[in-house]
Amino acid sequence: MSETAYCAMQNLTKRFRGVPAVRDLWLDLHQGERLALLGPSGCGKSTTLQLIAGLLPPDSGQIVLDGRSLVGIPPERRDMALVLQKGLLFPHLSVGENVAFGLKLRGVNRADREAQALAMLAQVQLTGFENRRPAELSGGQAQRVALARSLVIRPKLLLLDEPLSALDANLRGDMQELILQLQADTGVTLLIVTHDQQEAVVMADRIALMFDGCLRQVDTPEALYQRPSDGTVARFLGGVNFFGAVAAGNRLRLTDGDSLTLDSAHQGPVQVTIRPERVQVLAERLCSTNLLPVTVAQSRFTGTQRQLVLTTAAGLELQAWVPPGQSFAVGQTAYAHLPPEALWCWPAAGNASVAVPEPELLSH
Amino acid sequence: MTAVQPLKTTAWMALRDVPWRAYLLVLPALSLVAVLFGGGLVLAFLQSVGLLGLTGDGGFSLAAYGAALGDEQFWRSLGLSLYIAFTATALSTVLSIGLAMLLREAGRWASFACQLTLPIPHLVGIAGILLLLSPSGLISRLLYSLGWIWISSDQDFPLLVNDSANIGVMTHFLWKEIPFMTLILLAVLRGIRPELGMQARALGATPWQCFWNVTLPLLRPGIVSASLIVFGFVFGNFEVPFLLGSTYPKTLPILVYQAFTNVDLNQRPVAIALGLLLSLISIALIALYLWLGSGQPFRRRLGGQP
């Protein structure tokens, strides 16, 4: 992996008054990749971004971008661009001057930088806005200007710090589309910091999950959801079904007595999980493997799905998110089917009850 | 659905739809100013054109203005006043911006320190400058007692008060105005989001470019108003150049004072004409400065389309 790394963070550590904010961070980005740095508030992801941008000096470690070490290189000579939350525009400059700002600093002559700024504004669908003042823009427009301002200088690395968290849900979807489109058009390498797992999943090729200043898992969104490295990761990504079990090869015996089949082999005490949306709820016994008789304890309609809480005869509680068309009455008996390929487990640690950070935004 | 109760119309609410309501509301305060200040101006103007006064035949005449403008001393004094006002304002502006930038990260004590000179009367400051800088002042004595060879008597100390370059006057104004301007600029600086500087750096600005392209333009409203106050004050100030300034030429306010207190009452209209000219020049300069300082004349549109 490291031989193809375009941007490499090596052993980065940053402390504030002795308290580590980022600990021994190793992370590689490939050219043209979209990587999301995901984690709860205060996990050190914004600090990491500022270390990369050169706005903070690391206590130790280094960053290499395109074969060049950035140790001691000030932010203005790092060939990066940063977009902050709320699209911080310069209030004394017009929209066009804001976009042309980076070009002006690089000594591009007026005619050229204005032409490039106008072209870039057209790319973010803001043609005709060049003479507006930032105060006259909506939040989404300001954020698009900020994007244009960053992309017009053709950075090697585009850093986005919670770029969409100040926008409302509908606008956020449009902006995600626009950013993906712009990234595809320009091929810029993108690092996006977010606390919203939905956003990370939609925006990124890979997600680096960070807790307490440490990277916990770096993987594709699919892998993170289906194969979390531990319970903390699974819970942060909305995992709700966790059971203690003892594995013997492909067989799994849950602590309450039920037994399940896995599609991989394990040995000894494990934690097993299944995503609630992967649990199938059947009214009748339609297959034989991994079928648990359950009673519907709770049924909640959320608009796009029905969230069921099921209990087995042995008292095991299981959540299943099923399509909204499927209807179940509370108290009804049914069968929960846990497909072997949807089950995932990891060795149970002695007392692995690590404090689980609550995701700030639950998936809708 | 409940019906919305029509609110009782009061005289106050009737005013709500009057387009110039804001002006109507400041009318009481404005009329007080108009009577006391404007009335004084009118009376002064009438005296200066001979329509009202102790002497003369009571007929309209611009003779006083002719006498004022025809006197070479007026032009020398105007030049000196402008020199002092511009130099003192420019120096205190530049130094205050530097000081404010240095104190930007400092705590509340910085603002407090800047307020220390505010309540000290100008006369006390002037006395201090005289005690420090005059040929027999503290600095001169200190240098002498230190045995600096070029000071063998008070005659060798350079003339820093009542000198032709008005160094004493400048020193006093800088001492008084730099803390005042720094205080204002610090307040404006604290209102500028520090993330803007971060954002500029992340877009490729060196610290100097960041100051020049972001901080300074955002400081501009504060700089304009603070320097305007300083300029208006210094230009019209009387006691500082009177006590510390050059003996010849004298600044305009001193000229007005001398003409006004002249035993020859025929000089009175000239004194008033001079005073009115001083106000006119001041107002014109301030208006010009405000227009330039708004940035409006330099703002241009992109794309070439109207």
Side-chain angles (χ1 to χ4, degrees):
Chain A
M1 197 187 228
S2 59
E3 71 269 19
T4 57
Y6 180 63
C7 176
M9 283 141 251
Q10 299 167 348
N11 194 23
L12 276 189
T13 298
K14 180 70 185 174
R15 291 183 193 83
F16 292 114
R17 292 188 183 136
V19 183
V22 175
R23 275 183 281 185
D24 193 25
L25 183 128
W26 293 78
L27 185 61
D28 286 348
L29 268 95
H30 314 302
Q31 188 157 17
E33 184 185 27
R34 289 173 280 126
L35 186 115
L37 198 52
L38 174 67
S41 288
C43 74
K45 56 194 193 300
S46 285
T47 305
T48 306
L49 204 68
Q50 294 188 12
L51 291 174
I52 299 170
L55 297 165
L56 283 174
D59 292 334
S60 65
Q62 70 160 350
I63 298 158
V64 177
L65 176 64
D66 200 12
R68 181 172 71 128
S69 168
L70 297 181
V71 173
I73 305 285
E76 65 270 17
R77 290 199 280 119
R78 292 194 169 205
D79 297 320
M80 297 179 183
L82 173 65
V83 176
L84 295 164
Q85 198 179 343
K86 292 183 185 168
L88 217 60
L89 300 182
F90 300 117
H92 60 292
L93 299 177
S94 70
V95 166
E97 287 166 335
N98 260 287
V99 177
F101 185 82
L103 298 172
K104 185 182 174 190
L105 299 175
R106 284 160 178 75
V108 177
N109 71 53
R110 181 172 296 221
D112 284 356
R113 66 175 189 252
E114 286 184 359
Q116 288 185 49
L118 290 177
M120 201 64 232
L121 274 174
Q123 260 189 289
V124 296
Q125 295 142 33
L126 286 175
T127 304
F129 279 70
E130 58 272 12
N131 290 313
R132 301 250 187 126
R133 311 304 293 181
E136 299 165 4
L137 301 181
S138 70
Q141 289 167 342
Q143 200 56 270
R144 279 190 275 163
V145 175
L147 268 175
R149 180 177 64 182
S150 292
L151 284 171
V152 81
I153 57 177
R154 299 178 200 288
K156 284 182 175 169
L157 184 58
L158 178 61
L159 306 168
L160 306 179
D161 191 2
E162 305 268 5
L164 308 178
S165 58
L167 306 179
D168 66 55
N170 291 332
L171 202 53
R172 206 178 299 157
D174 295 344
M175 281 295 292
Q176 286 170 351
E177 275 307 312
L178 180 71
I179 294 174
L180 289 175
Q181 186 62 50
L182 286 170
Q183 196 272 337
D185 291 348
T186 56
V188 68
T189 309
L190 185 71
L191 180 63
I192 177 169
V193 158
T194 179
H195 63 257
D196 180 349
Q197 66 270 38
Q198 278 299 111
E199 190 164 293
V201 168
V202 173
M203 303 285 294
D205 300 319
R206 286 192 306 147
I207 295 175
L209 196 57
M210 196 169 183
F211 293 129
D212 293 329
C214 296
L215 281 185
R216 289 296 275 273
Q217 190 172 356
V218 184
D219 238 321
T220 63
E222 290 86 354
L224 270 180
Y225 270 74
Q226 296 307 328
R227 299 186 294 278
S229 62
D230 57 42
T232 318
V233 172
R235 282 191 181 84
F236 185 77
L237 294 171
V240 284
N241 297 319
F242 299 95
F243 317 110
V246 178
N250 283 8
R251 295 296 298 167
L252 203 61
R253 178 162 292 276
L254 299 183
T255 39
D256 71 342
D258 288 313
S259 72
L260 295 168
T261 304
L262 291 170
D263 69 346
S264 58
H266 287 267
Q267 282 304 331
V270 293
Q271 278 278 309
V272 60
T273 188
I274 181 167
R275 299 280 317 170
E277 63 272 16
R278 297 295 298 273
V279 177
Q280 291 166 18
V281 185
L282 311 168
E284 290 160 50
R285 185 183 278 277
L286 289 177
C287 61
S288 55
T289 53
N290 292 357
L291 206 64
L292 304 176
V294 290
T295 309
V296 177
Q298 210 183 84
S299 168
R300 186 170 289 150
F301 177 61
T302 65
T304 53
Q305 57 194 194
R306 193 173 296 280
Q307 299 187 349
L308 303 173
V309 177
L310 311 167
T311 46
T312 65
L316 191 78
E317 203 170 84
L318 184 69
Q319 287 196 34
W321 297 351
V322 300
Q326 271 188 293
S327 99
F328 293 92
V330 172
Q332 181 185 343
T333 53
Y335 296 93
H337 174 47
L338 316 181
E341 71 277 10
L343 286 170
W344 178 249
C345 56
W346 56 87
N351 46 4
S353 53
V354 191
V356 179
E358 283 295 314
E360 284 158 55
L361 285 171
L362 289 169
S363 52
H364 301 289
Chain B
M1 225 169 100
T2 53
V4 178
Q5 287 292 314
L7 291 167
K8 233 169 124 185
T9 310
T10 61
W12 168 252
M13 290 194 51
L15 265 180
R16 208 169 43 176
D17 300 325
V18 180
W20 28 268
R21 183 175 71 124
Y23 300 99
L24 211 62
L25 292 176
V26 294
L27 204 59
L30 213 58
S31 44
L32 200 68
V33 174
V35 169
L36 292 180
F37 183 69
L41 270 181
V42 169
L43 285 180
F45 178 72
L46 291 178
Q47 284 195 47
S48 72
V49 295
L51 289 174
L52 192 76
L54 305 165
T55 61
D57 51 8
F60 179 82
S61 145
L62 288 174
Y65 287 90
L69 292 171
D71 188 353
E72 189 210 2
Q73 232 194 115
F74 168 80
W75 298 103
R76 284 180 180 277
S77 293
L78 177 62
L80 180 68
S81 283
L82 287 175
Y83 156 75
I84 291 178
F86 273 116
T87 316
T89 307
L91 280 177
S92 34
T93 303
V94 172
L95 294 173
S96 303
I97 293 171
L99 193 59
M101 290 302 291
L102 285 177
L103 294 175
R104 188 180 195 179
E105 309 288 322
R108 290 260 154 250
W109 64 265
S111 298
F112 178 75
C114 288
Q115 290 172 30
L116 285 179
T117 62
L118 287 184
I120 300 176
H122 277 279
L123 279 176
V124 175
I126 293 167
I129 298 282
L130 280 171
L131 286 172
L132 277 177
L133 294 184
S134 65
S136 56
L138 274 174
I139 291 179
S140 171
R141 287 174 200 208
L142 195 69
L143 291 176
Y144 179 70
S145 66
L146 284 174
W148 288 41
I149 19 169
W150 52 274
I151 303 233
S152 52
S153 83
D154 60 4
Q155 299 298 309
D156 295 334
F157 192 71
L159 194 62
L160 295 178
V161 293
N162 305 120
D163 54 312
S164 55
N166 283 281
I167 288 174
V169 176
M170 295 296 177
T171 312
H172 173 83
F173 280 135
L174 292 185
W175 165 79
K176 186 81 176 165
E177 305 305 347
I178 287 177
F180 165 73
M181 283 188 83
T182 306
L183 188 66
I184 294 183
L185 294 184
L186 267 181
V188 182
L189 261 183
R190 292 212 172 102
I192 298 175
R193 302 178 61 181
E195 295 98 319
L196 283 174
M198 212 162 95
Q199 177 71 80
R201 293 298 303 279
L203 287 167
T206 61
W208 177 248
Q209 282 177 318
C210 184
F211 169 74
W212 202 247
N213 288 295
V214 178
T215 314
L216 202 58
L218 290 174
L219 261 184
R220 191 174 62 196
I223 295 173
V224 169
S225 32
S227 57
L228 205 61
I229 294 170
V230 169
F231 180 86
F233 175 78
V234 172
F235 189 66
N237 184 274
F238 166 74
E239 70 264 41
V240 180
F242 185 69
L243 294 168
L244 289 175
S246 56
T247 42
Y248 183 84
K250 295 175 187 311
T251 62
L252 268 185
I254 300 175
L255 211 63
V256 175
Y257 171 77
Q258 286 179 339
F260 199 82
T261 52
N262 201 311
V263 284
D264 179 4
L265 283 180
N266 286 318
Q267 284 293 305
R268 188 62 61 88
V270 179
I272 293 168
L274 278 172
L276 287 175
L277 285 170
L278 178 69
S279 312
L280 268 180
I281 295 166
S282 200
I283 290 168
L285 285 173
I286 286 171
L288 177 73
Y289 186 68
L290 272 181
W291 180 67
L292 290 174
S294 71
Q296 206 65 47
F298 311 112
R299 194 170 284 175
R300 58 186 299 280
R301 295 174 66 84
L302 261 67
Q305 281 129 21

